[in-house]
Amino acid sequence: MKKGYYFVAKYVKNGITRICTGTQETIEGYFDFVSAGNFIAKEHNVDLKDVIVTFWSEINSVMLDKYKKTLGEQNNG
């Protein structure tokens, strides 16, 4: 069954701890920490060892769509 997750992660860049959020959709039905960490590391150009997922929660498809829409509006100004 396909599930959606919202997560919060912390990472260190240039000696400063930063916080970011993301979503993950999975067919396996469980939250994948490694995939989430790799995504954050790649997006923010940091080493994977500097990323830690601090919170995650399963979300329904409506909330997942709302999160994506909000993120799109932020990226588009």
Side-chain angles (χ1 to χ4, degrees), residues 1-6 29 31 55-60 63:
M1 179 199 303
K2 190 173 183 179
K3 291 186 177 183
Y5 294 90
Y6 170 82
F31 182 72
F55 172 82
W56 74 98
S57 179
E58 186 176 341
I59 58 176
N60 61 35
M63 293 305 295

Side-chain angles (χ1 to χ4, degrees), residues 19-54:
I19 299 173
C20 62
T21 63
T23 59
Q24 182 182 93
E25 293 178 86
T26 178
I27 296 171
E28 295 84 15
Y30 60 89
F31 182 72
D32 185 348
F33 287 94
V34 175
S35 175
N38 284 332
F39 171 76
I40 297 300
K42 184 178 177 183
E43 283 290 307
H44 297 282
N45 196 29
V46 296
D47 194 315
L48 178 60
K49 69 178 179 60
D50 294 325
V51 176
I52 183 167
V53 176
T54 58

